[in-house]
Amino acid sequence: MTIKIVTDSSVQLTPEEIEKYQIHIIPLTIMIDGTVYIDGETITREEFMTKMAQASALPKTSQPAIGTFLELFDDLTKDGSEVLALHMLEAISGTVNSARQAAELSQGKVTVWDSDFTDRALSFQVIEAAKMAQAGADMDAILAKMAEVRDHTRLVMGVSNLDNLVKGGRISKVSGLLSSLLNIKVILQVKDGQLTALQKGRGMKTLNKFVDGFVEDMKKEAHILAVGISHADGLEMAEQYGALIKAAVPDVPILIRPTDPVIATHTGAGAFAIMYYTA
C-alpha cells in the first residue's frame, strides 16, 4: 500500500516536480465572458492574463466539482492505496471543502488537508508530503510534517492595482476608488489561513521599501530551504526582487513563475508574492 498525493491547480509546481513526485492535480475552472476554461489544460497562465485584460467583466473561478474529486479518489485508491489531498486555504476557495465531501463518499481511504496557503507556499507542503510518501512514511508522520512546514512558511503579497479586489467584493468600492485616486499599493500576508493587510502606501516605493525590509529579515533566518516568487504579469518586478533575495541568501533555490488564474483574478495584473519556508 502506498500514499498518493493530490493537490489543486493553484499550486506552483514545475512539470519536472509533478512528474518526479507523481503528484495528481485537480484543475479549477475559470469563466471569462461566458467561456469556461480548465486551468492548465485549456488555458495557460500567460493566456489567462491576456484574456483577463481584454474581458468585459471580472473572470469567475470555480472549485472542482465533488464528482471530479470522487472519480479521482476512487481511481487512485482502487489498488488499496491511500490518498492525501492537500489544497489551498479555505479562506479564498471552497476547493478543500469539495475535496472533504468527496472523501466522505469515496470507497477508498482519503485524508484531506487544508494547507492554509496557496501557490508555491502550498507546494512546499506538497513536495515534502510526496517525498515522505515515496520513502514509505505513514499518514500520521506525513501530517505531522505538513503541520511543521505550514508553521514555518511565510507568504507576503504586493498588490499594485485594487480594481479586481473591488470588483470581486474583497474591499469596498469607496475604498477602492480612493485607493486608485491616491495610487495606493497594498501589502498582504497569509497567516493562520487568513488573508490580511500588513500595510499600504502611495506608489511603487511602498512595495520596494517593504521588500527591502522583508529581504533583510530573510537574512536573519537560520535555515531557509526554498523561496518562491510568483507574479501576475509582472516578470520584470519579480526578477528584480529575486535578484535581491539571491544576493541575500545565495545558496537557497528560488523559483520565479506566473501565478495561477485564481490568485490573479483576485489580485489583478502587477501583483506579486514572495514565499519561503525554514527548517
Side-chain angles (χ1 to χ4, degrees), residues 2 28 63 79 83 118 147 151 194 196 206 211 213 253 258 265:
T2 59
L28 284 80
Q63 67 255 29
D79 63 357
V83 163
T118 187
D151 295 344
Q194 298 297 319
T196 58
T206 297
V211 171
T265 295

Side-chain angles (χ1 to χ4, degrees), residues 173-237:
K173 292 185 178 181
V174 173
S175 172
L177 176 62
L178 292 174
S179 297
S180 297
L181 291 173
L182 296 173
N183 192 22
I184 294 293
K185 313 297 182 185
V186 178
I187 302 291
L188 308 169
Q189 72 171 347
V190 173
K191 187 175 182 180
D192 299 326
Q194 298 297 319
L195 184 65
T196 58
L198 276 181
Q199 66 182 64
K200 64 180 179 179
R202 295 180 66 177
M204 285 301 298
K205 65 181 181 181
T206 297
L207 301 181
N208 293 334
K209 184 178 180 181
F210 174 82
V211 171
D212 287 343
F214 190 75
V215 172
E216 286 300 312
D217 289 342
M218 290 178 69
K219 288 182 182 178
K220 301 170 187 175
E221 294 280 10
H223 300 290
I224 296 178
L225 298 175
V227 177
I229 304 175
S230 295
H231 63 91
D233 202 21
L235 178 60
E236 184 177 347
M237 180 170 56

Side-chain angles (χ1 to χ4, degrees), residues 113 132 138-150:
W113 176 262
M132 292 182 70
D138 63 23
M139 188 66 76
D140 287 344
I142 295 175
L143 293 178
K145 182 65 175 180
M146 294 308 90
E148 179 186 323
V149 174
R150 178 195 63 204

Side-chain angles (χ1 to χ4, degrees), residues 222-260:
H223 300 290
I224 296 178
L225 298 175
V227 177
I229 304 175
S230 295
H231 63 91
D233 202 21
L235 178 60
E236 184 177 347
M237 180 170 56
E239 289 182 335
Q240 172 191 330
Y241 293 153
L244 289 175
I245 294 171
K246 190 66 178 177
V249 287
D251 298 326
V252 179
I254 301 173
L255 181 68
I256 301 176
R257 297 190 86 210
T259 193
D260 75 287

